[in-house]
Amino acid sequence: MVKKPFLTVRWLPAVPQGATYMICMLRNLWNDTKGNTLAIFAAALIPLVVVIGSSLDLSFAYMAKAKLQNACDAAALAGRQSMDGNKWTTANEDEAKKFFQFNFPEGTLGAQDLNFEIDTDPNDNAQIIGVANAVIPTSLMHIFGYDTVPIQANCDAKRDLGHNDVMLVLDTTGSMGNRP
């Protein structure tokens, strides 16, 4: 049995210079698994913030768009209902804008640059068309250069009185002669 010496001295090779030193250092870093969790988390943090930030900001934008669409539809219906026949007046426009402002007040979900326009369809006086625009500010995506999300809603309303037939049926048989 061969005894090992108590103290062994190893001679270290000369430290490589330049590109070979960088390659050796990167190889050692690649093979060393201590502390990898921090590096992996740091690398994954930016895409994680992008995904969470965009989902949060887009959910606010979709909620605002749904409210904007409901307000536009309500305004179009109110404006069409207030019309006398096919005559569009400023009073009808004011009524539609009043309904829009009630259903989507300035600042709803942080909306900015709110604009609502409503008028009759140039091809059909019985129909009115509305367009609403707003800009929703972002909360996290402004870090990546997306400060706002534009939203738009289109609406229309038309009163269509088709051919209505009214029928009156009188039952004069004996069963109607006796009251309960």
Side-chain angles (χ1 to χ4, degrees), residues 17 21 41 45 60 63 76 79 89 96 113 120 123 130 133 139 147 162 174:
Q17 298 295 321
Y21 176 71
F41 178 73
L45 189 60
F60 275 122
M63 284 191 306
T89 63
D113 300 334
T120 57
N123 299 324
N133 299 306
S139 57
D147 295 328

Side-chain angles (χ1 to χ4, degrees), residues 7 11 13 24 52 64 72 83-84 105 107 109 140:
L7 183 61
W11 293 100
C24 287
I52 291 172
C72 188
M83 285 175 65
D84 185 22
L109 292 173
L140 284 177

Side-chain angles (χ1 to χ4, degrees), residues 2-167:
V2 179
K3 289 186 171 183
K4 290 185 180 178
F6 177 71
L7 183 61
T8 320
V9 176
R10 285 192 181 173
W11 293 100
L12 297 174
V15 177
Q17 298 295 321
T20 55
Y21 176 71
M22 183 64 78
I23 291 170
C24 287
M25 192 170 108
L26 289 175
R27 189 176 299 134
N28 288 339
L29 185 62
W30 182 261
N31 293 331
D32 189 12
T33 58
K34 295 179 223 158
N36 281 354
T37 305
L38 181 63
I40 291 171
F41 178 73
L45 189 60
I46 292 175
L48 191 63
V49 169
V50 169
V51 169
I52 291 172
S54 62
S55 64
L56 179 72
D57 291 334
L58 287 178
S59 67
F60 275 122
Y62 285 132
M63 284 191 306
K65 183 174 176 12
K67 286 183 175 282
L68 188 70
Q69 185 66 54
N70 288 340
C72 188
D73 290 339
L77 290 172
R80 183 61 188 110
Q81 185 65 28
S82 68
M83 285 175 65
D84 185 22
N86 291 343
K87 186 178 178 186
W88 179 254
T89 63
T90 57
N92 302 125
E93 186 175 353
D94 292 342
E95 184 72 12
K97 288 187 177 187
K98 182 175 76 173
F99 268 76
F100 181 80
Q101 288 297 327
F102 178 78
N103 286 299
F104 198 89
E106 185 76 37
T108 300
L109 292 173
Q112 302 167 347
D113 300 334
L114 184 60
N115 185 27
F116 175 66
E117 297 294 326
I118 192 161
D119 204 358
T120 57
D121 186 354
N123 299 324
D124 186 5
N125 286 339
Q127 181 173 350
I128 59 173
I129 298 174
V131 177
N133 299 306
V135 175
I136 304 298
T138 59
S139 57
L140 284 177
M141 289 308 292
H142 66 87
I143 298 169
F144 302 103
Y146 296 98
D147 295 328
T148 58
V149 177
I151 57 173
Q152 179 178 350
N154 299 316
C155 54
D156 61 81
K158 180 177 181 177
R159 179 176 286 176
D160 191 13
L161 300 174
H163 299 290
N164 295 328
D165 294 329
V166 178
M167 201 178 284

